[in-house]
Amino acid sequence: MVRSMRQRGIYKWRIAFAAALLQLLVSCGIFTPRDSEAPEPGVMIDPFNFAAILENTNENFTSLRYEDLFMESDTVYLDVNYGRSSTTALLQRLHQILIQYPRIQVQWTTGTVWKNSGNDTMVLSGLKYYIFSDSTTGGPPGDSGSSNFTAVIYNRNWVVSLWTDIPSRAGRSFFDL
Amino acid sequence: MMRCRTAAMVFFLLRTAVMAGGSNEWPAVFTVPVKPDTAVDSAKLRLSSDAKVFKNTEKTSSRLEWAPLSSLWRMRQRSVVTTRNEGGENAMNQVYDFSGSVIRDSVFPKGGSLGLEWSPVINLELRDHTPGGVTATNDFGTVMQWRTHDIPLRFRGGISGSGWNYNLPARLLDNKYEYFHGDAGFYGAFSAGDPTVRLLGRPLYVTTEAFVRAVRMVGIAAINGSALLAHRLGSGDSLFAYYGDSLSNGKERYWGSPGGQRQYTYAPWRVARSFQATGGLKFRESRLRPALVYSYAENAVTFPNLDKPNDRRVMLQSIHLLGEAKSTLPVVYKGGIKIWWGAEEWLFKSDRLRSVADTFNLGPASTREDTLTKDSLTVKLSDHQIYRAATDHAVSIALPKGMALEYTLGIFRNSRTYTFCFSPDSVRNYNDDDAITLNHQGRFKLPRFRAIEAEAFGAYSVNITNYLKKEDGRSSENRTEDGYLLGLDCSYRPSERFSLSERITAEADIIDYFYKQSHLNDPPPYKRRFSSLCRGTWKMTDHWELHGRWDENYNDYGVWYGHEYLDTARADSLGTDYYAIMNKATTYSVELSLARVRDRYRLESGCRLSDVFARSYRENAYVIDVEEQGYVIEPFLEFTVQYRRFSLRGRVVRLVNTLASDNRAFKKNWDIHVAGQASW
């Protein structure tokens, strides 16, 4: 009799435990994101559509801010016509072209992907790009070319460590729109 | 070196132990390991070889193992030679590993053993046009093992050396002595305890291990240990307590190129400490079996001599509630919730903070005392509080007529709140965020109808990126990514000789930005994928089989042109919202093969035909992407031979691309893999 009552008590305790678990789950907002601040008007993210270069890799950039997207390096952009650019110079050139063409649109095709066995380095080859200066992708592109990218894991995120630009016409580059 | 890596691995495992596993799984640290079965292998000599040629890369690996046994001693000698040749680079890399040991049993009372071990490893790199190199490492020492009070004790120790030459000419005999370099030192290791055996008959499992290596008087020492108490209380409930600790201190030796000269060198002096204390209570077996776990873990790394401020400490506490329900009803439930809270601190020792600050500070000494430089402050900006929560639930229901239903739900939240800022500009880190992942998965097994079996499955996932601050454009990146999957597996098996199966899936990924005004004329990406895989086998006789496979996939990638993502002028001219496909591709693959099956061998010959039809949207039309990718035809031959002590298996494939210009290049268009083994 005493044993049966004790067992019933234990069982009730466990039901209470399960109920508490459910209560905790549904009522505390444990999995509800906090409120975020609305961005300032005019702040644009990834106008050059770099997110698309990882399209067929099953990977994503954690941040599309160009300061985070390109690794800090003396040679992060290599233009076969003009030579190398540091990250600071590349960011400046991206900024300048955005001032000149605020409605720019870039389309990237996918290329071949090579990943190392440690899955912390990717080489993306033969990605073609088509640049539309006025955000109309229906007409002919203002410029086009092909690029190779090397992406590496840095601070647990994918970043571009080298962008090699191979424009479609001699003497031009991604920035010669 | 290997032991240092082991210590580092233990450190890493302890560091990640808190994170591993679903929240409805009992923590792995509370599981008493089972003593592995020591299967008796009668083979005393084993020779195996594996060779692969594929697209300009050749790789061969040969292994010889000799393990003669007697009642008094054990010997194991391993010889592994691996060659890798990258055709495009004209560089060959060879590794020779001649590790081995000889141990005599029953030298000491209670079966104590004594022996020698050696581990020479030579790495040879040869190139066509530039000097190659060779590196060699070797440990040679004694091994001892004995028991006291039923506690196993093990000791290893000896000399350790390495040599290298990174100016090898193409003709090895032309080598000069001055190019050879070498180092020597010692190593020692001690371990006690067995994680599978109770300590002194108590429900306590204790192990400890220490290792030291010093070469040229520069060394590294590592110690780690763990204790697990697993005690059943009188009430039938179980009490668990675990403590694990590891410490490594010193400079790890590695092969590198400081100053452009390739040589063995040392990593910066590093002190790494990691510990975890965990307690748990698991109620006795019943219809509902709840459990409760609390854990504290701390991982710290400091670099005492390094000017760059990289010292970091992560402290995490967690509470974990989980339960499992089983009853006579055909329903099984397993669920749990786990919450972590803690902090990541950089330059966590105040004296270290000052010394780094002093290194960088160029101002007068008086200011140095109180002022932290911008460099160390910048590092401190990475300090943040951590909050994580996870819940996982799994339900399975067995239904009549062989039907079954399974459902799993998993939610994970990872939040960071940055705490450090410095004046006068109120500089701070604006990466405060909540990353939330939600996964629903379901599976329904349909009733069997004659020879047909089918199972439907589906998944829905949501990934939320939520930055809290607007500075640096962080919150404008906020988005949700919804993933959908629907699928059907079915098979038709009217007899033992014939089977046909089909798997169909449809997937979609949809991204939506929170703040659409930050993405004007930058519509979010969408993608879809449909796939079908059909396989069939017909065993025509006991010795002949026909196999077929048809694989077809379609995928596209594009953007969602919605009014909310366009500026006013473009939105006005847009009719209805639509999904604009930018790239689409269809992949086909058909394979048919015939196999001859006998007791001692299996021979299969067939052919695969595949094609990728990829198009991109350009100038108002879909244009075919031509990348020298025509139809690919792959005739192949596969064989397996088993005869007494010998076995041989292989696969030879000839790749033919109808558009490629270099189809006759031998190394680029063959995929050959042969592996054999013989043992006595």
Side-chain angles (χ1 to χ4, degrees), chain B residues 318-361:
Chain B
S318 69
I319 188 142
H320 186 183
L321 307 170
L322 65 162
E324 193 172 353
K326 285 179 187 168
S327 67
T328 50
L329 293 172
V331 180
V332 177
Y333 165 78
K334 207 158 104 169
I337 184 166
K338 187 171 183 179
I339 296 173
W340 298 260
W341 67 97
E344 178 174 315
E345 273 187 88
W346 289 73
L347 296 176
F348 53 93
K349 291 180 177 173
S350 58
D351 57 333
R352 177 80 183 118
L353 185 62
R354 283 187 189 287
S355 77
V356 171
D358 289 347
T359 308
F360 283 95
N361 197 334

Tab-separated table of all heavy atoms in Angstrom, chain B residues 318-361:
chain	number	residue	atom	x	y	z
B	318	SER	N	25.590	25.374	-17.974
B	318	SER	CA	24.395	24.895	-18.673
B	318	SER	C	23.522	24.081	-17.748
B	318	SER	O	24.014	23.446	-16.798
B	318	SER	CB	24.782	24.053	-19.889
B	318	SER	OG	25.353	22.849	-19.484
B	319	ILE	N	22.258	24.140	-18.020
B	319	ILE	CA	21.303	23.281	-17.311
B	319	ILE	C	20.507	22.546	-18.373
B	319	ILE	O	20.166	23.114	-19.417
B	319	ILE	CB	20.414	24.087	-16.344
B	319	ILE	CG1	19.595	23.138	-15.490
B	319	ILE	CG2	19.510	25.067	-17.043
B	319	ILE	CD1	19.449	23.621	-14.076
B	320	HIS	N	20.266	21.296	-18.106
B	320	HIS	CA	19.752	20.416	-19.144
B	320	HIS	C	18.662	19.527	-18.538
B	320	HIS	O	18.931	18.782	-17.603
B	320	HIS	CB	20.942	19.580	-19.648
B	320	HIS	CG	20.641	18.706	-20.807
B	320	HIS	ND1	21.573	17.846	-21.333
B	320	HIS	CD2	19.532	18.546	-21.543
B	320	HIS	CE1	21.040	17.200	-22.350
B	320	HIS	NE2	19.803	17.605	-22.487
B	321	LEU	N	17.463	19.652	-19.047
B	321	LEU	CA	16.360	18.800	-18.596
B	321	LEU	C	15.959	17.911	-19.761
B	321	LEU	O	15.792	18.396	-20.882
B	321	LEU	CB	15.147	19.645	-18.193
B	321	LEU	CG	15.365	20.772	-17.192
B	321	LEU	CD1	14.131	21.636	-17.102
B	321	LEU	CD2	15.694	20.186	-15.837
B	322	LEU	N	15.826	16.636	-19.507
B	322	LEU	CA	15.416	15.755	-20.598
B	322	LEU	C	14.558	14.623	-20.067
B	322	LEU	O	14.568	14.341	-18.854
B	322	LEU	CB	16.612	15.219	-21.370
B	322	LEU	CG	17.610	14.292	-20.709
B	322	LEU	CD1	18.400	13.575	-21.779
B	322	LEU	CD2	18.580	15.059	-19.836
B	323	GLY	N	13.804	14.032	-20.939
B	323	GLY	CA	12.918	12.962	-20.511
B	323	GLY	C	12.652	11.996	-21.646
B	323	GLY	O	12.787	12.329	-22.828
B	324	GLU	N	12.285	10.785	-21.249
B	324	GLU	CA	12.024	9.744	-22.228
B	324	GLU	C	10.772	9.018	-21.781
B	324	GLU	O	10.651	8.688	-20.602
B	324	GLU	CB	13.219	8.793	-22.264
B	324	GLU	CG	13.228	7.877	-23.427
B	324	GLU	CD	14.548	7.102	-23.497
B	324	GLU	OE1	15.468	7.404	-22.712
B	324	GLU	OE2	14.617	6.208	-24.321
B	325	ALA	N	9.825	8.814	-22.662
B	325	ALA	CA	8.578	8.141	-22.286
B	325	ALA	C	8.409	6.871	-23.094
B	325	ALA	O	8.484	6.899	-24.321
B	325	ALA	CB	7.396	9.065	-22.518
B	326	LYS	N	8.251	5.768	-22.385
B	326	LYS	CA	7.979	4.491	-23.048
B	326	LYS	C	6.820	3.845	-22.290
B	326	LYS	O	6.708	4.015	-21.079
B	326	LYS	CB	9.187	3.555	-22.955
B	326	LYS	CG	10.309	3.914	-23.866
B	326	LYS	CD	11.448	2.948	-23.670
B	326	LYS	CE	12.665	3.384	-24.450
B	326	LYS	NZ	13.855	2.651	-24.062
B	327	SER	N	5.964	3.181	-22.968
B	327	SER	CA	4.865	2.506	-22.275
B	327	SER	C	4.428	1.334	-23.119
B	327	SER	O	5.043	1.009	-24.131
B	327	SER	CB	3.712	3.492	-22.075
B	327	SER	OG	3.164	3.821	-23.332
B	328	THR	N	3.349	0.695	-22.667
B	328	THR	CA	2.845	-0.428	-23.456
B	328	THR	C	2.225	0.078	-24.753
B	328	THR	O	2.067	-0.665	-25.708
B	328	THR	CB	1.776	-1.190	-22.648
B	328	THR	OG1	0.838	-0.231	-22.153
B	328	THR	CG2	2.397	-1.951	-21.498
B	329	LEU	N	1.873	1.367	-24.792
B	329	LEU	CA	1.341	1.939	-26.023
B	329	LEU	C	2.465	2.027	-27.066
B	329	LEU	O	3.629	2.180	-26.703
B	329	LEU	CB	0.788	3.345	-25.764
B	329	LEU	CG	-0.443	3.431	-24.866
B	329	LEU	CD1	-0.738	4.880	-24.551
B	329	LEU	CD2	-1.638	2.776	-25.532
B	330	PRO	N	2.110	1.970	-28.335
B	330	PRO	CA	3.172	1.990	-29.358
B	330	PRO	C	3.673	3.406	-29.644
B	330	PRO	O	3.841	3.798	-30.787
B	330	PRO	CB	2.463	1.387	-30.578
B	330	PRO	CG	1.030	1.719	-30.379
B	330	PRO	CD	0.780	1.779	-28.913
B	331	VAL	N	3.878	4.185	-28.580
B	331	VAL	CA	4.362	5.558	-28.750
B	331	VAL	C	5.662	5.709	-27.958
B	331	VAL	O	5.736	5.320	-26.792
B	331	VAL	CB	3.327	6.581	-28.222
B	331	VAL	CG1	3.855	7.997	-28.409
B	331	VAL	CG2	2.005	6.414	-28.922
B	332	VAL	N	6.666	6.237	-28.588
B	332	VAL	CA	7.940	6.505	-27.908
B	332	VAL	C	8.225	7.993	-28.044
B	332	VAL	O	8.131	8.555	-29.139
B	332	VAL	CB	9.080	5.685	-28.536
B	332	VAL	CG1	10.404	6.027	-27.887
B	332	VAL	CG2	8.803	4.209	-28.406
B	333	TYR	N	8.567	8.616	-26.920
B	333	TYR	CA	8.855	10.057	-26.947
B	333	TYR	C	10.199	10.307	-26.266
B	333	TYR	O	10.525	9.706	-25.252
B	333	TYR	CB	7.755	10.836	-26.212
B	333	TYR	CG	8.168	12.262	-25.891
B	333	TYR	CD1	8.145	13.243	-26.885
B	333	TYR	CD2	8.620	12.612	-24.621
B	333	TYR	CE1	8.548	14.525	-26.612
B	333	TYR	CE2	9.027	13.904	-24.339
B	333	TYR	CZ	8.989	14.859	-25.333
B	333	TYR	OH	9.405	16.130	-25.076
B	334	LYS	N	10.948	11.195	-26.835
B	334	LYS	CA	12.219	11.592	-26.239
B	334	LYS	C	12.357	13.091	-26.439
B	334	LYS	O	12.293	13.562	-27.582
B	334	LYS	CB	13.350	10.861	-26.947
B	334	LYS	CG	14.577	10.661	-26.101
B	334	LYS	CD	15.386	9.507	-26.642
B	334	LYS	CE	16.579	10.006	-27.379
B	334	LYS	NZ	17.534	8.973	-27.714
B	335	GLY	N	12.503	13.838	-25.365
B	335	GLY	CA	12.589	15.289	-25.526
B	335	GLY	C	13.499	15.903	-24.477
B	335	GLY	O	13.832	15.279	-23.469
B	336	GLY	N	13.905	17.132	-24.742
B	336	GLY	CA	14.753	17.803	-23.769
B	336	GLY	C	14.929	19.260	-24.103
B	336	GLY	O	14.621	19.718	-25.208
B	337	ILE	N	15.397	19.976	-23.120
B	337	ILE	CA	15.705	21.394	-23.326
B	337	ILE	C	17.006	21.695	-22.594
B	337	ILE	O	17.241	21.185	-21.485
B	337	ILE	CB	14.543	22.293	-22.851
B	337	ILE	CG1	14.850	23.761	-23.172
B	337	ILE	CG2	14.247	22.119	-21.373
B	337	ILE	CD1	13.627	24.650	-23.052
B	338	LYS	N	17.858	22.471	-23.225
B	338	LYS	CA	19.167	22.770	-22.638
B	338	LYS	C	19.444	24.257	-22.821
B	338	LYS	O	19.220	24.794	-23.916
B	338	LYS	CB	20.233	21.930	-23.336
B	338	LYS	CG	21.598	22.027	-22.706
B	338	LYS	CD	22.536	20.998	-23.330
B	338	LYS	CE	23.888	21.041	-22.653
B	338	LYS	NZ	24.815	20.058	-23.205
B	339	ILE	N	19.899	24.869	-21.763
B	339	ILE	CA	20.197	26.305	-21.819
B	339	ILE	C	21.626	26.530	-21.338
B	339	ILE	O	22.021	26.020	-20.285
B	339	ILE	CB	19.200	27.101	-20.946
B	339	ILE	CG1	17.787	26.948	-21.517
B	339	ILE	CG2	19.574	28.575	-20.889
B	339	ILE	CD1	16.701	27.533	-20.663
B	340	TRP	N	22.393	27.267	-22.135
B	340	TRP	CA	23.766	27.632	-21.770
B	340	TRP	C	23.811	29.145	-21.514
B	340	TRP	O	23.133	29.900	-22.210
B	340	TRP	CB	24.740	27.391	-22.912
B	340	TRP	CG	24.932	26.011	-23.410
B	340	TRP	CD1	25.953	25.165	-23.108
B	340	TRP	CD2	24.139	25.309	-24.387
B	340	TRP	NE1	25.838	23.992	-23.814
B	340	TRP	CE2	24.734	24.056	-24.601
B	340	TRP	CE3	22.971	25.610	-25.085
B	340	TRP	CZ2	24.216	23.116	-25.484
B	340	TRP	CZ3	22.446	24.675	-25.965
B	340	TRP	CH2	23.059	23.456	-26.157
B	341	TRP	N	24.629	29.548	-20.608
B	341	TRP	CA	24.897	30.973	-20.464
B	341	TRP	C	26.342	31.134	-20.012
B	341	TRP	O	26.885	30.273	-19.306
B	341	TRP	CB	23.906	31.632	-19.504
B	341	TRP	CG	24.014	31.194	-18.073
B	341	TRP	CD1	24.679	31.813	-17.081
B	341	TRP	CD2	23.433	30.016	-17.490
B	341	TRP	NE1	24.551	31.113	-15.904
B	341	TRP	CE2	23.783	30.005	-16.136
B	341	TRP	CE3	22.649	28.963	-17.994
B	341	TRP	CZ2	23.395	28.991	-15.266
B	341	TRP	CZ3	22.261	27.953	-17.135
B	341	TRP	CH2	22.634	27.977	-15.784
B	342	GLY	N	26.963	32.217	-20.443
B	342	GLY	CA	28.365	32.409	-20.089
B	342	GLY	C	28.943	33.586	-20.830
B	342	GLY	O	28.229	34.499	-21.237
B	343	ALA	N	30.258	33.566	-20.990
B	343	ALA	CA	30.921	34.719	-21.596
B	343	ALA	C	32.204	34.291	-22.286
B	343	ALA	O	32.807	33.270	-21.936
B	343	ALA	CB	31.235	35.758	-20.527
B	344	GLU	N	32.573	35.073	-23.290
B	344	GLU	CA	33.884	34.902	-23.923
B	344	GLU	C	34.674	36.160	-23.605
B	344	GLU	O	34.206	37.269	-23.884
B	344	GLU	CB	33.709	34.732	-25.428
B	344	GLU	CG	35.031	34.586	-26.162
B	344	GLU	CD	34.838	34.269	-27.642
B	344	GLU	OE1	34.015	33.414	-27.986
B	344	GLU	OE2	35.528	34.916	-28.449
B	345	GLU	N	35.841	35.964	-23.017
B	345	GLU	CA	36.653	37.119	-22.596
B	345	GLU	C	38.002	37.064	-23.291
B	345	GLU	O	38.652	36.021	-23.310
B	345	GLU	CB	36.915	37.037	-21.086
B	345	GLU	CG	35.867	37.649	-20.218
B	345	GLU	CD	36.358	37.639	-18.775
B	345	GLU	OE1	37.022	38.595	-18.377
B	345	GLU	OE2	36.104	36.651	-18.081
B	346	TRP	N	38.439	38.182	-23.814
B	346	TRP	CA	39.762	38.281	-24.430
B	346	TRP	C	40.668	39.060	-23.478
B	346	TRP	O	40.199	39.954	-22.780
B	346	TRP	CB	39.666	38.975	-25.779
B	346	TRP	CG	38.990	38.121	-26.802
B	346	TRP	CD1	37.663	37.823	-26.872
B	346	TRP	CD2	39.607	37.407	-27.871
B	346	TRP	NE1	37.409	36.977	-27.918
B	346	TRP	CE2	38.584	36.706	-28.559
B	346	TRP	CE3	40.918	37.288	-28.318
B	346	TRP	CZ2	38.845	35.912	-29.670
B	346	TRP	CZ3	41.173	36.501	-29.437
B	346	TRP	CH2	40.148	35.820	-30.095
B	347	LEU	N	41.938	38.720	-23.482
B	347	LEU	CA	42.909	39.353	-22.567
B	347	LEU	C	42.331	39.398	-21.147
B	347	LEU	O	42.211	40.442	-20.536
B	347	LEU	CB	43.250	40.764	-23.054
B	347	LEU	CG	43.952	40.838	-24.398
B	347	LEU	CD1	44.144	42.279	-24.826
B	347	LEU	CD2	45.289	40.130	-24.358
B	348	PHE	N	41.970	38.207	-20.648
B	348	PHE	CA	41.194	38.138	-19.415
B	348	PHE	C	42.032	38.342	-18.157
B	348	PHE	O	41.479	38.559	-17.098
B	348	PHE	CB	40.455	36.801	-19.328
B	348	PHE	CG	41.343	35.598	-19.513
B	348	PHE	CD1	41.912	34.975	-18.430
B	348	PHE	CD2	41.611	35.115	-20.781
B	348	PHE	CE1	42.723	33.874	-18.601
B	348	PHE	CE2	42.443	34.024	-20.958
B	348	PHE	CZ	42.997	33.399	-19.871
B	349	LYS	N	43.345	38.283	-18.294
B	349	LYS	CA	44.189	38.542	-17.123
B	349	LYS	C	44.614	40.007	-17.168
B	349	LYS	O	45.202	40.439	-18.163
B	349	LYS	CB	45.422	37.646	-17.137
B	349	LYS	CG	45.104	36.190	-16.896
B	349	LYS	CD	46.372	35.382	-16.916
B	349	LYS	CE	46.078	33.936	-16.600
B	349	LYS	NZ	47.252	33.078	-16.764
B	350	SER	N	44.359	40.729	-16.108
B	350	SER	CA	44.602	42.173	-16.146
B	350	SER	C	46.085	42.486	-16.344
B	350	SER	O	46.444	43.419	-17.058
B	350	SER	CB	44.077	42.826	-14.875
B	350	SER	OG	44.708	42.230	-13.772
B	351	ASP	N	47.006	41.664	-15.747
B	351	ASP	CA	48.424	41.955	-15.945
B	351	ASP	C	48.818	41.738	-17.401
B	351	ASP	O	49.628	42.446	-17.969
B	351	ASP	CB	49.279	41.078	-15.018
B	351	ASP	CG	49.014	39.603	-15.240
B	351	ASP	OD1	47.889	39.265	-15.675
B	351	ASP	OD2	49.914	38.788	-14.996
B	352	ARG	N	48.213	40.753	-18.006
B	352	ARG	CA	48.503	40.474	-19.415
B	352	ARG	C	47.994	41.625	-20.293
B	352	ARG	O	48.631	42.043	-21.237
B	352	ARG	CB	47.790	39.165	-19.781
B	352	ARG	CG	47.923	38.764	-21.209
B	352	ARG	CD	49.246	38.091	-21.501
B	352	ARG	NE	49.328	37.799	-22.915
B	352	ARG	CZ	50.242	38.307	-23.728
B	352	ARG	NH1	51.140	39.125	-23.259
B	352	ARG	NH2	50.274	37.984	-24.988
B	353	LEU	N	46.846	42.143	-19.913
B	353	LEU	CA	46.272	43.266	-20.646
B	353	LEU	C	47.223	44.452	-20.610
B	353	LEU	O	47.504	45.093	-21.611
B	353	LEU	CB	44.931	43.619	-20.003
B	353	LEU	CG	44.068	44.681	-20.648
B	353	LEU	CD1	43.656	44.252	-22.036
B	353	LEU	CD2	42.836	44.933	-19.792
B	354	ARG	N	47.783	44.695	-19.428
B	354	ARG	CA	48.702	45.827	-19.290
B	354	ARG	C	49.993	45.584	-20.075
B	354	ARG	O	50.505	46.483	-20.722
B	354	ARG	CB	49.029	46.066	-17.814
B	354	ARG	CG	47.906	46.753	-17.101
B	354	ARG	CD	48.305	47.133	-15.692
B	354	ARG	NE	47.143	47.591	-14.967
B	354	ARG	CZ	46.547	48.748	-15.154
B	354	ARG	NH1	47.015	49.582	-16.061
B	354	ARG	NH2	45.486	49.086	-14.471
B	355	SER	N	50.500	44.335	-20.018
B	355	SER	CA	51.775	44.111	-20.695
B	355	SER	C	51.600	44.254	-22.209
B	355	SER	O	52.458	44.785	-22.893
B	355	SER	CB	52.342	42.742	-20.335
B	355	SER	OG	51.679	41.744	-21.046
B	356	VAL	N	50.465	43.802	-22.718
B	356	VAL	CA	50.209	43.975	-24.145
B	356	VAL	C	50.061	45.453	-24.454
B	356	VAL	O	50.588	45.964	-25.440
B	356	VAL	CB	48.947	43.177	-24.551
B	356	VAL	CG1	48.541	43.530	-25.972
B	356	VAL	CG2	49.210	41.706	-24.455
B	357	ALA	N	49.353	46.129	-23.585
B	357	ALA	CA	49.168	47.565	-23.775
B	357	ALA	C	50.516	48.285	-23.778
B	357	ALA	O	50.782	49.136	-24.619
B	357	ALA	CB	48.280	48.120	-22.676
B	358	ASP	N	51.404	47.875	-22.864
B	358	ASP	CA	52.722	48.507	-22.791
B	358	ASP	C	53.512	48.285	-24.073
B	358	ASP	O	54.220	49.163	-24.553
B	358	ASP	CB	53.514	47.949	-21.599
B	358	ASP	CG	52.934	48.445	-20.292
B	358	ASP	OD1	52.114	49.378	-20.349
B	358	ASP	OD2	53.278	47.888	-19.238
B	359	THR	N	53.382	47.081	-24.607
B	359	THR	CA	54.120	46.768	-25.826
B	359	THR	C	53.723	47.702	-26.963
B	359	THR	O	54.535	48.134	-27.751
B	359	THR	CB	53.838	45.308	-26.248
B	359	THR	OG1	54.083	44.495	-25.131
B	359	THR	CG2	54.714	44.897	-27.403
B	360	PHE	N	52.442	47.975	-27.029
B	360	PHE	CA	51.952	48.790	-28.128
B	360	PHE	C	52.035	50.295	-27.846
B	360	PHE	O	52.027	51.089	-28.757
B	360	PHE	CB	50.500	48.410	-28.452
B	360	PHE	CG	50.402	47.138	-29.221
B	360	PHE	CD1	50.191	45.940	-28.562
B	360	PHE	CD2	50.560	47.122	-30.594
B	360	PHE	CE1	50.113	44.758	-29.260
B	360	PHE	CE2	50.487	45.948	-31.294
B	360	PHE	CZ	50.270	44.755	-30.627
B	361	ASN	N	52.060	50.636	-26.557
B	361	ASN	CA	51.985	52.051	-26.206
B	361	ASN	C	53.311	52.745	-26.478
B	361	ASN	O	54.355	52.308	-26.026
B	361	ASN	CB	51.630	52.186	-24.721
B	361	ASN	CG	51.149	53.587	-24.410
B	361	ASN	OD1	51.499	54.533	-25.091
B	361	ASN	ND2	50.348	53.696	-23.385
